[in-house]
Amino acid sequence: MAGLELLSDQGYRIDGRKATELRKVQARMGVFAQADGSAYLEQGNTKALAVVYGPHEMRGSRSRTRHDRAVINCQYSMATFSTAERKRRPHGDRKSTEMSLHLKQTFEAAIMTQLYPRSQIDIYVKILQSDGGNYSVCVNAATLAVIDAGIPMRDYVCACTVGFVDESPLADLCYAEESGGVSSLALALLPRSGQIALLQMDARLHQDNLDSMIEAAMTACKGVSKVLDEVVRQHLQEVSVLSRE
Amino acid sequence: MIKTEKILHLKSYRGKKVRVVREHYLREQVPCYSLLCQADCDNDGKVLPGDLSHYVVPDVGVVVDYLEILEFRELRGVVFTQTACQALQHSKGRRQYNRLRNLLKDPRHDCVLFVNEFQEHSYCPREKGESQEQWHTRCVYSAAVWYYNHLAGMMDVVMITEDQDAVVRYGALNPGVYVMTDFLQVLRPELQAAHELYGSVSQALREKESEGSQREFAEHLPAEVLEAGIKSGRYVQGTLNINKHHNEGVVTTEGLSNKDADLSCGVLVCGGKNRNRATHGDVVVVELLPRSEWRGKVTALAEGQGEESESKPMATGRVVGILQRNWRDFVVTFPPRDGTQSQSRNSQRILAVPWDHRIPKIRISTQHADALQDHRVVVRIDSWESTSLYPNGHSVRVLGRAGEPGVTWWLVSVCVCSQLREMPVNSPERPWRVDPAQAAARRDLRESHLVFSIDPRGCEDVDDTLSVRSLAGGTLLELGVHIADVTHFVTEGSLTDLEARLRATTYYLADRRYDMLPAVLSADLCSLLGGVDRYAMSVMWQLDAHTLTVRDVWFGRTLIRSSYQLHYELAQALLDGEPAEVPELTQLGCEEKDAKLAELSQALETLTHVARHLRAQRDQGGALELEGVEVRAQLDEEKNITALVPRQPLEVHETVAECMIYANHWVARKIQEAFPHQALLRRHPPPRQEFFIQLAESATAKGFTIDTRTNKALADSLDRAVDPQDPLVNRLLRMMATTAMSQAVYFSTGLQSQDQYYHYGLALDRYTHFTSPIRRYADMVVHRLLAAALNAEQGVGPGTAVASNRELEELARHINQKNRAAQEAQKLSTVLFQCLYFKERDPQTDPCCTADAIIYSIKKDGLLVFVPQYGVKGPVYLKNREGLVVAVGQDGSCEWQSGSIRRHSDHITTSCGCGTSTFRLFNHITVRISVHSTSCHADSVKLEVVGNKPHYSAEPQQPHPQGRSQLVQEVVRLAEEANQQALEKKARRPKLSREEREFSQSKTPNLYSLLEEVRELALLDREPAAQNADPGHKR
């Protein structure tokens, strides 16, 4: 590899951020009227749309019904135009199945499913533009959508990726950094309690560095949660103003 | 922060164009690194001073083409822009970029990097239709303007460019920002050296543009293709080594895990076309030729002997690409202008001949062609286009006229390393006293321990001392190694430290040395001289007095006073009980003197005893005794060489070396345990088996078998391969084994797995260099690591490692490179001295020039011989260019006659009219030594065969004075070793079967075997030097 310098001697990354800085996060809730809850979230150039239906009666095979809690059903997909080269993405390929499973696990940990026995909650997430950190953007978007749907959660679920370059962790990787051969880690956190909902890493990393990575990821997640909180509060304000009128 | 977007058009891996959108964040606060800053920038690190008349902002073109000039330290206040750095990285590659990075890191250099593209106000997005050059220029200009405004107009800013349009466009826009092209002439006219360099660089650039288009070489393949090819196994990557004598190179592949057996001994690259512009040391990619075109290595000594003189064919290939150039500074000679070169076409381009045979001629464009005739000049290669037969370069510095005294010295130093600048002495000369605070913090050994040093005669930089005493009523022995505490004086990051890091090692040449540290430190404050208080870093072992097993080990900082400063010969004399005059004791009274002397001798004896045990221990593990050629030149007052003296091995050498190896080993263990991923150790990888082929073949000729599978087996079989008639045979075999060894290297533990730490030559699982911090930088790093480890243990101070794994690895690489250079310089200086010695003598008449030589290799048309008296190795031709061969007369004298020559595996015969004569491997012959001198290259020693009988010099060989005592020591050592072996056996298999116990012979030495050994050793004149591939101690 001709070698992109991921972290310069002065401490800048290729897009001008410092090691701990997140990308710019912008979000909107309630973008669709038909769905029970929906949200649109941009994190840098990664853009995702999340839609939530439910809780409603079990659809499809009723055998999956749980008598004590709700079943969460997640579906992840990427738009054909989401990357630089247009590519047809059939449903149910390995990557998106895995991602769906991860999302499901994450939200099972966060949503208070015991309040809705024998019912089902559907979460659909679509990546409109992909520029790294797809998983974490999906989680953040879906959190907003679930909140929009009025489904009680233990806490926000915030996710962030962290990469490891030159002995220092980089928060919120973009695509160029992800593809530069960095060992990265994705973490979903319930920020208030500090509980980890999901931790995923499929690269090699020395054990000694793991703690600092997780530490950095948690800090980054808390940063994300602050932004999300602000978005939710602003949305509530707007909605309450509207309803008063 | 403001988010913007940058749109790039990149090529995808399939070759399609892809539109890539990248984010680009801008910020208000970007540090300006200037003392004049009004806006509270976060300036940590290097800062530009405020007392300059202007700051310089070089344009992209200037940075790319003239980086060498910007490296001048006289140019102060240089602001490099990020735009320029990135452009440099793209166009010139990593090597140049790293150079710039080092420049920015170097605190002696007044330059900073301004990250202009992330600054809100200095960033300018590329406009539609704007060319890249224009855009770059605009970026740099806006950065310059930002600087001017940011510093509130207190500092003028000069943007330098090579582009006239830019001057026109931006010149008058802003009052404080000047744009100019001929910066050097206008503002810094006094920098003569910079001007010359500028001229030569710009000339080279101009020539490059007007290059012809006739293709001489195949184009190199693009990097992606090479990478894919290497991965798929189509191409082979390796380092090109060019043979000194022939026009052929061998690409040695890295990593031993070659699946293909054909490639295991490298890939041959014959001829200039196949080599395709690669030079010695480059990392290249080769494509294998079809098997039908494979050739063998040339085995003849002379060039142009035709096709038939080749060994069995090996893998042959051609270079298709170069991954990394090994271009450094070369010394060349400008040839005298006598019309032999066709310079009429363009008188400004001259083909200069490099000093090193392996480097092709370099085309230099210069306007001072006449002035440079016959001068030796340092040049750099700029490029080598496929259209040109020779590389293009520019001159950097003129050294002097060829053949001038002193110039040759420069050659040796410049050729192998970068400049050896004399270091500025920055510690003031003042009466130095022990600091009471330090004295309290250190363990005081001044009164309690008898500390002494043993070094070569006349040594100034004493960095190791020893002590030994018995404790607890004689049941314990305390062995101490005390090393000069250099790191106390040289703090990390100080100027001295940086300079030392740059030099990495002290250069010992045949008659002089170049110090790593300034003389105040190396010869005085750090040097553990006799009779003065000095700081030291100590390792002390408590050993069991009988079994000599380690009970306890202590590391720490100490305060010592060395009582005796001995030299090797004196120490040996004391050991042997011979009368010797110790200079420290001459003033004392007779009785006191005797008591002191007895004490010292006792200590030396104990030390030798311990060292023998340690040595035996290592021999068990398979430590090798190897042999190198070493000669010291003796000079008289007028610096004339009076004699070449081969080094005399003494037992005390080994004793000291053994203690040092032990200390190194224990320190290596300590720091490796404290910092598993950031310790600097030294490893010696096992050699490749193919390199032993010559050794094995030669040994077979004498009827020995050499087992090279493990170091233990090799050591044992080398011990067995002794010809009672001729002690030199063993020495030669050991020498051959030494050349087969790979080089020991420093490394950071984080980058190798634990089983790679092994030191093959010393047979130790962990090893480092700790004992010579005055002359090796690696030892200083290890000292710091040890200090950090001790701090961490005691919980005081920062217990973190000195450097991260990556930094340490970078450092290790640098030190390795410098060490190799130093070794090369040592070798060259020895050759030079040999030449100087023989140059003054007439080979026909002077008896010194006729000497005994021993044949160690047979080639197609000659022999390779070794002259033990002078330590010279070289070729002897049996067939000259006219086709005449050497014929041996009745009395053993030789003359040239026409005839034929035949080579066999272990002998070579020449036949002519008056009969045939045979030269066998390991035969002794008589050679005449003369000097072959050329104007461009180094002088070389030429050997000519005079007779095929051994040569006996006029004076009888004086009997070795220590012969007897050494013999005794040798026997004792062997006995010790055997003892050890037996002990170990016992430990390993405590229960022998009854039969074994009854019938097998005991392993402990009995009287018979001892006598046998005495007899065997008596046959040898003296045992060859016990010298290791990696001596722990200085010679």
Side-chain angles (χ1 to χ4, degrees), chain B residues 737-947:
Chain B
T738 312
T739 44
M741 293 294 147
S742 39
Q743 269 189 328
V745 288
Y746 298 105
F747 70 103
S748 165
T749 46
L751 253 76
Q752 299 282 348
S753 62
Q754 190 130 16
D755 53 328
Q756 297 284 312
Y757 297 176
Y758 190 65
H759 198 290
Y760 180 87
L762 298 177
L764 291 171
D765 57 345
R766 277 160 286 179
Y767 188 69
T768 190
H769 271 166
F770 166 72
T771 50
S772 304
I774 297 182
R775 57 194 185 89
R776 284 189 304 230
Y777 190 75
D779 300 53
M780 287 172 60
V781 177
V782 171
H783 273 235
R784 288 187 186 129
L785 279 168
L786 181 62
L790 293 177
N791 280 346
E793 219 166 61
Q794 291 154 8
V796 274
T800 49
V802 178
S804 70
N805 181 19
R806 176 192 288 255
E807 285 165 349
L808 208 57
E809 186 58 30
E810 221 163 84
L811 184 65
R813 206 171 298 140
H814 166 75
I815 297 175
N816 285 334
Q817 190 189 336
K818 284 285 175 185
N819 268 354
R820 258 194 293 273
Q823 274 168 14
E824 197 83 357
Q826 257 152 357
K827 231 185 275 172
L828 277 176
S829 85
T830 312
V831 171
L832 187 67
F833 263 91
Q834 286 163 349
C835 287
L836 288 176
Y837 180 70
F838 292 114
K839 207 170 190 171
E840 292 161 6
R841 286 169 171 74
D842 181 11
Q844 300 299 334
T845 56
D846 201 319
C848 286
C849 291
T850 315
D852 188 39
I854 180 163
I855 301 170
Y856 72 91
S857 181
I858 304 266
K859 294 284 174 184
K860 186 79 195 170
D861 58 350
L863 317 160
L864 293 179
V865 299
F866 172 63
V867 183
Q869 194 185 347
Y870 301 114
V872 176
K873 272 190 198 173
V876 169
Y877 295 92
L878 295 178
K879 185 179 182 184
N880 65 7
R881 290 193 191 262
E882 288 87 56
L884 300 179
V885 299
V886 168
V888 181
Q890 289 296 321
D891 55 342
S893 66
C894 296
E895 53 188 21
W896 295 99
Q897 286 186 353
S898 60
S900 64
I901 193 160
R902 272 180 75 88
R903 176 183 177 232
H904 305 274
S905 66
D906 63 340
H907 65 278
I908 186 165
T909 53
T910 58
S911 49
C912 55
C914 55
T916 62
S917 44
T918 310
F919 294 89
R920 283 187 178 280
L921 213 53
F922 294 114
N923 268 8
H924 284 255
I925 58 169
T926 309
V927 292
R928 185 186 302 129
I929 305 167
S930 57
V931 172
H932 174 74
S933 52
T934 58
S935 62
C936 297
H937 298 297
D939 295 347
S940 55
V941 170
K942 205 172 119 193
L943 303 173
E944 257 178 297
V945 58
V946 189

Side-chain angles (χ1 to χ4, degrees), chain B residues 87-335:
Chain B
L88 181 79
Q89 190 183 9
H90 277 287
S91 61
K92 286 283 175 110
R94 171 155 291 181
R95 210 179 155 93
Q96 285 286 332
Y97 179 62
N98 279 340
R99 216 162 131 180
L100 178 59
R101 272 175 65 187
N102 290 335
L103 198 67
L104 289 165
K105 275 187 209 152
D106 191 342
R108 291 165 294 185
H109 231 284
D110 237 355
C111 60
V112 295
L113 177 70
F114 173 53
V115 192
N116 63 323
E117 297 200 359
F118 297 144
Q119 217 293 330
E120 199 183 326
H121 303 294
S122 68
Y123 171 68
C124 23
R126 189 166 170 181
E127 279 161 11
K128 271 227 162 75
E130 191 177 30
S131 79
Q132 183 158 354
E133 287 75 30
Q134 279 174 338
W135 177 48
H136 281 161
T137 315
R138 197 156 61 87
C139 284
V140 174
Y141 179 73
S142 85
V145 172
W146 180 87
Y147 246 88
Y148 180 71
N149 293 333
H150 180 78
L151 301 177
M154 288 193 293
M155 181 64 75
D156 287 345
V157 178
V158 178
M159 170 172 158
I160 47 175
T161 175
E162 287 290 301
D163 185 6
Q164 291 294 343
D165 298 342
V167 180
V168 175
R169 226 167 122 195
Y170 301 113
L173 281 182
N174 204 309
V177 183
Y178 304 97
V179 182
M180 52 174 62
T181 48
D182 35 13
F183 164 76
L184 273 179
Q185 275 90 336
V186 178
L187 288 172
R188 306 303 297 266
E190 77 281 5
L191 286 180
Q192 199 54 45
H195 278 291
E196 275 170 21
L197 190 55
Y198 175 79
S200 103
V201 175
S202 57
Q203 183 106 27
L205 279 175
R206 246 174 286 141
E207 294 293 339
K208 197 171 146 194
E209 279 163 20
S210 60
E211 197 88 316
S213 58
Q214 198 186 357
R215 181 147 308 173
E216 303 282 353
F217 293 102
E219 285 296 344
H220 289 156
L221 298 175
E224 308 92 75
V225 180
L226 292 180
E227 203 166 322
I230 293 166
K231 276 203 181 124
S232 67
R234 217 177 127 206
Y235 303 139
V236 183
Q237 177 186 347
T239 314
L240 182 71
N241 287 308
I242 294 173
N243 193 309
K244 267 185 196 157
H245 308 296
H246 309 293
N247 191 21
E248 63 178 18
V250 174
V251 175
T252 47
T253 49
E254 267 135 58
L256 298 167
S257 60
N258 260 322
K259 286 151 265 167
D260 199 343
D262 291 334
L263 302 180
S264 58
C265 45
V267 179
L268 191 70
V269 178
C270 309
K273 275 274 188 278
N274 282 337
R275 204 186 299 156
N276 198 355
R277 294 173 274 157
T279 51
H280 178 74
D282 288 353
V283 178
V284 297
V285 177
V286 289
E287 180 184 38
L288 293 184
L289 294 172
R291 232 164 231 279
S292 56
E293 292 176 38
W294 283 15
R295 301 172 55 181
K297 273 190 199 173
V298 181
T299 51
L301 290 168
E303 219 164 316
Q305 288 287 328
E307 296 288 301
E308 76 275 20
S309 60
E310 285 177 353
S311 65
K312 72 176 194 325
M314 56 187 286
T316 310
R318 65 187 185 89
V319 174
V320 291
I322 296 174
L323 293 179
Q324 184 155 46
R325 286 289 194 185
N326 182 33
W327 288 347
R328 47 192 170 84
D329 292 4
F330 297 109
V331 173
V332 301
T333 311
F334 278 88

